[in-house]
Amino acid sequence: MDRSIGSSGNLDMSSLSDSDKRELQQFVMQEAQKATIQQSIHSLTDMCFKKCIGKISSGKLDKYEEPCMQNCVERFMDASHLVLKQLENMRTSS
Amino acid sequence: MDSLSTGSLSGGDAKTTIMNQVRQEAAVANAKALIEKVNEHCFERCVPKPSTSLSRSEEGCYSACMEKYMAAWNAVSKQYVSRMQREQSSAGFIGGGSL
């Protein structure tokens, strides 16, 4: 989403009512949030694919790979929370 | 459901046009990211020693790899979203829950 919305240049923004503008702002924020989530999913998939996927013999995830991918997501999130917790501890103990 | 090709843009049309454009750009960005990752991983896995052309087995590996990567993406997506929901419904948002 690196191109600006106005790139088409033919949109008359002045015709938007205030409620339209508010709605749009909310919509764009939601989309941005969705994009952030998708970005996290991309980087998690990238990381976990490396760790979990062995031989590429079929297109399906096998019975080890599927739970490995799930655990990988869960443990990564645990670990990132752990970092926050540790930092919090460091902050309060100093 | 809203058509993009209207002659003059009234307020509502401008709004839906922008929304559709944002949605579309988000979808394109997402697809690009996926394609980039698929290429990165599958080239690494399926073409360890590049020769003068892609062999049959390399091509077969590529299609399995693509399918597998997308299955992995879906598994991660499901797990990630359910984790988010669990965290949001538990008391603390970030610090909460047992580690």
Side-chain angles (χ1 to χ4, degrees), chain A residues 41-54 65 68-76, chain B residues 41 45 69 72 76:
Chain A
I41 296 173
H42 281 302
S43 76
L44 278 167
T45 309
D46 186 30
M47 208 164 34
C48 297
F49 194 85
K50 256 180 231 151
K51 289 189 192 285
C52 293
I53 307 303
E65 290 165 343
C68 179
M69 291 300 291
Q70 292 166 346
N71 289 335
C72 178
V73 172
E74 293 287 337
R75 296 299 78 73
F76 181 84
Chain B
H41 283 282
R45 301 290 183 111
Y69 197 84
V76 168

Side-chain angles (χ1 to χ4, degrees), chain B residues 1-12:
Chain B
M1 52 182 171
D2 301 297
S3 91
L4 280 168
S5 55
T6 43
S8 66
L9 288 171
S10 70

Side-chain angles (χ1 to χ4, degrees), chain A residues 1 9 18 27 31 39 49 60 62 74 89:
Chain A
M1 284 207 293
D18 281 353
F27 170 79
E31 286 295 315
Q39 205 40 61
F49 194 85
K60 305 268 181 294
D62 70 26
E74 293 287 337
N89 287 344

